[in-house]
Amino acid sequence: LDLRGRFAGDRLAVTLPAGEGVFRLTLGAVTATLDATAQGRWQIDGLGPGPHDLRLVSLGESGLAPEALPRFAVPPGAALAAPAPGRWIEVIGDSDSTGFGSRHEGRHCDPAELRAATDSTLAWPARVAAALGAGLRLRAQSGIGLVRNYANDPAPTMPVRLAADPAPPADE
């Protein structure tokens, strides 16, 4: 999940759904990590008139349904059109593509360490997109493989899942 926006007001509120992991919020030159283990609302005041560019990136995998997407609130009339990337890349992958455990230094870790060590911005798709100045559409999930799944799980592999998924909108 990688959301971007622009606004002209002096404050911002961010609401994240419960249990959806860790997010990185970048607001201009300031970066903060937001942990949404429980539903959370963060209020940032005193920003000045703007304009302000913001970016909210999920550092882990996100299975967010549209009704559970993060919410941004700015003063009335302060929302501005965010600049869209000039081009997009799409990556179909697995845990290597999602940054699963990317900051962990050993081979073994418990679930809490794994959660803390996962950072999608360090995975190769995010780094390639950033280097190209492109937007990224990542279609990947840990444990769901391109050829076979982790531990030979009989769940559908990524190609089977994608065959059932409609084509992306033309404007992506």
Side-chain angles (χ1 to χ4, degrees):
L1 180 71
D2 186 344
L3 302 175
R4 299 167 195 236
R6 178 177 276 178
F7 64 100
D10 63 348
R11 66 188 179 278
L12 168 71
V14 179
T15 303
L16 299 175
E20 289 300 334
V22 180
F23 294 81
R24 180 172 296 133
L25 175 67
T26 303
L27 185 58
V30 177
T31 300
T33 300
L34 310 178
D35 189 339
T37 304
Q39 181 171 347
R41 185 172 194 275
W42 291 264
Q43 178 80 32
I44 303 165
D45 295 305
L47 295 173
H52 307 285
D53 290 317
L54 69 92
R55 181 178 182 195
L56 184 72
V57 178
S58 172
L59 297 184
E61 296 179 48
S62 178
L64 292 173
E67 65 273 8
L69 286 173
R71 304 280 191 247
F72 301 111
V74 296
L80 302 172
R87 56 186 163 180
W88 290 86
I89 62 171
E90 181 171 24
V91 174
I92 300 167
D94 57 14
S95 58
D96 289 338
S97 309
T98 66
F100 191 69
S102 60
R103 291 188 288 135
H104 189 68
E105 298 202 9
R107 288 195 46 84
H108 304 287
C109 56
D110 63 37
E113 290 173 316
L114 183 59
R115 182 176 187 269
T118 296
D119 186 340
S120 62
T121 65
L122 296 178
W124 69 267
R127 295 174 77 172
V128 168
L132 295 174
L136 171 64
R137 183 165 193 237
L138 178 61
R139 301 173 70 155
Q141 182 179 344
S142 295
I144 305 300
L146 299 173
V147 176
R148 65 177 178 83
N149 294 330
Y150 176 74
N152 291 315
D153 185 330
T157 59
M158 193 57 70
V160 173
R161 291 169 183 243
L162 292 176
D165 191 22
D171 63 345
E172 278 195 36

